[in-house]
Structures are given as structure tokens and as C-alpha cells.
Amino acid sequence: CLWTLAAIVKETLKDALVPRAGVLKKLLAPLDAVLEGFYNAILLHHFDSHHYTSPYSEATNNLISFIDLLEALLASRIELEFPLRCQRILFLKVSYILNVISSSIPYVIKKKLILLLKKCVLYKSREDAKSGSLFLETSSLYEDMLALSNAVLQVVNLTWLNQIPLSGKSSSFGSSEAAPGHDSQGGSDQTVLRALSLVVLKALEFKIHNSATEAEIK
């Protein structure tokens, strides 16, 4: 079901001949509360269980299907003037994603979620993309980016980054040690390193530009 819904959303976004906003609203509005419930139930799951030890297990495949759906919902957001809750949930409850990334889930899922976070921090509404403005015009997107930035900076201020592996091996963020059997050049996943760095920098940038007081910026 998750895969089918993601596929329909993606195909709708590709189809230039249909009124995309109307089709997406008709498809997603009745599922809005259901999808938020899925988000809460799936991502609050205990990911340290044995079901997720293999990247090829059924539980892992189900989670990958759900992440694909979240990506499709994020991509579809630009089509609606007033985004649905299911299209905003990634921003408003990003702490769930951050917790999954720092759990002992397979590396392939951690990487997929980190790249999804990167898409979130780079997201712009159609109006903002046209104007090139750093300041967000729509109130919902402003609220969402603020929630995401606050959550990211909150965990980064703690020890979250130190728990993030930079490869399927044992090297981690901030570690100078190469993974066993690897040279220091090939020890870490540069795509993940760049994506994580961009997420932190964009969260800082947004927070600084939208902070009311100098104390808050500091």
C-alpha cells in the first residue's frame, strides 16, 4: 500500500496534462490523518530490535517504502497553496527522523533519511524559488523550517553527531580513525558527510536570519 501510494504521487507529479493540485488534494486529503498516524506509529518504533539487523529484512523493506512515500509527499508539497498536514509532518516532527538516524538501524536507512533531511532544508515554495529570497514568504513553510531548524540545532548541541556513522563500517562523525581494513581516504561516506554538514549549516542559517534577539543568535 505504501509503495502504491508513493508511485501514484510520483506519477501525478510527472504528468503535465492533469491538474496536479486538484488530483493530489483529492488523493491525499482523505488520508491526511491516517498518514500522520503512520508516521507516529512507524517512526516511534523500537528500531534496536532484531527485525532491523539485516538491510534485507521485511521490516527494513517496509521502512524503506515508507521513506520513499515521505520523499514523494515532500516533492508534492509545492503543488498545493496550503499544504496538507501529511506534507508538513517531516518538518514539524523531524525529531522522530533524528532519533531513527541515531538508532542502531541498518546504515542504508540512515543514509536515506539523512539525504531526505537534506531535501527538507533545501526545500522552497514556488514563490520563494522564483524570487530567490532567503526569507520564506508562506507562513506554513516559515513555521515548518523554524521547527526543523530548532530540532536539528537542539540535537547537534548535544552528542547526536557523534552517534552518526559515516559508512557501513565503524567510522563515525568527527572520528579521525579509519574503518578497519580501509585507508583513511576511503573510510567515510562523503555523500553523507556533505549532506549532514549542509543540514546543520542550513539550520544555523535559517535560525540566525529569523532570530528575534542577539542572545538567541548566540
Side-chain angles (χ1 to χ4, degrees):
C1 289
L2 292 172
W3 183 90
T4 303
L5 185 57
I8 293 169
V9 172
K10 287 174 186 174
E11 286 304 312
T12 303
L13 292 174
K14 287 181 194 170
D15 194 340
L17 300 176
V18 300
R20 290 191 291 257
V23 171
L24 288 166
K25 198 164 185 180
K26 192 173 181 181
L27 173 69
L28 296 174
L31 296 171
D32 206 18
V34 176
L35 290 173
E36 183 172 359
F38 270 16
Y39 186 93
N40 295 341
I42 292 173
L43 297 182
L44 273 179
H45 194 71
H46 187 64
F47 289 107
D48 298 326
S49 75
H50 67 279
H51 296 296
Y52 294 93
T53 50
S54 166
Y56 308 107
S57 69
E58 186 183 356
T60 302
N61 282 331
N62 288 341
L63 188 54
I64 287 172
S65 291
F66 186 61
I67 297 168
D68 287 341
L69 175 59
L70 291 176
E71 281 187 34
L73 290 172
L74 177 66
S76 70
R77 176 177 175 146
I78 199 167
E79 300 296 334
L80 299 186
E81 187 180 352
F82 300 104
L84 298 166
R85 178 84 180 174
C86 64
Q87 294 169 311
R88 301 180 60 193
I89 197 77
L90 254 176
F91 296 85
L92 299 176
K93 294 188 177 179
V94 72
S95 59
Y96 292 25
I97 300 284
L98 299 172
N99 288 338
V100 176
I101 291 170
S102 61
S103 73
S104 59
I105 203 129
Y107 180 73
V108 62
I109 294 180
K110 290 177 188 271
K111 181 171 182 173
K112 208 166 169 55
L113 286 171
I114 288 166
L115 295 177
L116 180 58
L117 276 183
K118 176 187 165 186
K119 288 180 181 176
C120 286
V121 297
L122 293 176
Y123 180 83
K124 286 191 173 185
S125 70
R126 194 166 276 159
E127 292 73 23
D128 293 320
K130 280 180 190 168
S131 67
S133 170
L134 186 66
F135 301 98
L136 305 175
E137 304 295 335
T138 56
S139 59
S140 65
L141 187 52
Y142 173 86
E143 184 185 324
D144 295 354
M145 285 299 294
L146 192 59
L148 184 142
S149 299
N150 284 336
V152 167
L153 294 176
Q154 193 173 358
V155 294
V156 167
N157 209 26
L158 302 171
T159 58
W160 184 78
L161 280 176
N162 298 333
Q163 300 169 51
I164 312 303
L166 287 181
S167 74
K169 306 294 181 185
S170 61
S171 61
S172 58
F173 196 95
S175 168
S176 58
E177 296 177 18
H182 289 64
D183 59 47
S184 58
Q185 297 301 311
S188 59
D189 185 332
Q190 296 301 302
T191 304
V192 169
L193 179 59
R194 284 194 297 269
L196 269 175
S197 302
L198 185 66
V199 168
V200 176
L201 286 170
K202 282 289 182 184
L204 267 173
E205 179 187 46
F206 185 81
K207 185 69 177 166
I208 287 170
H209 279 285
N210 294 282
S211 290
T213 64
E214 193 176 338
E216 206 176 6
I217 292 172
K218 284 182 180 176

